[in-house]
Amino acid sequence: MNIGSYIEEVSRFNHLLDNGLKALRDASVEVAQSEFEYRKAKAIAWQSAPAGTVPMREAWVDAETAEQRQRLDLAEGSRSAALEAVRSRRQQLSAVQSLLAAHKAEAEFSRTGPV
């Protein structure tokens, strides 16, 4: 690879990293909103739970709030995936930066020779 290719790769990874950070921010907002809706639905469900044993009431509340819990689980999964994408892009960017540093050291060596 030549220096121009490295610079293009750094720019590409920076762009992907920016997109990943935006996706992570959006997913975090979605998690917070889903968590709010789930907790609210669960509190309301507990208020209207039928009489019975504690395990029976817990099962009823879980059934009543299953959709909200599913949305929360999906939002958390999306946030985790976005976080992993950001971490991966950072590693890829770091690898390209290491190659750039090696290229720079090689260029300096060829210009000045061994010290």
Side-chain angles (χ1 to χ4, degrees):
M1 284 181 93
N2 63 29
I3 193 74
S5 297
Y6 285 122
I7 292 170
E8 286 177 18
E9 277 298 286
V10 167
S11 178
R12 186 174 76 85
F13 283 128
N14 277 332
H15 178 70
L16 291 171
L17 188 55
D18 288 343
N19 288 346
L21 290 170
K22 183 186 179 313
L24 181 58
R25 185 175 49 250
D26 293 346
S28 295
V29 168
E30 181 63 28
V31 167
Q33 185 63 38
S34 297
E35 175 101 21
F36 168 79
E37 291 170 7
Y38 172 63
R39 287 179 185 222
K40 185 177 177 181
K42 197 165 186 174
I44 291 169
W46 272 110
Q47 290 175 347
S48 31
T53 65
V54 171
M56 288 172 55
R57 295 176 67 204
E58 285 175 345
W60 187 86
V61 167
D62 287 345
E64 289 294 305
T65 60
E67 287 181 26
Q68 291 87 354
R69 181 62 202 206
Q70 181 185 31
R71 279 195 290 276
L72 174 58
D73 291 343
L74 292 171
E76 287 175 341
S78 293
R79 181 177 61 183
S80 293
L83 180 58
E84 286 304 313
V86 166
R87 287 178 179 157
S88 176
R89 296 297 183 243
R90 284 181 181 154
Q91 288 177 332
Q92 291 168 333
L93 182 58
S94 178
V96 172
Q97 288 171 332
S98 295
L99 290 171
L100 270 170
H103 183 73
K104 178 183 175 188
E106 185 179 301
E108 288 173 358
F109 180 78
S110 69
R111 187 176 66 241
T112 62
V115 189

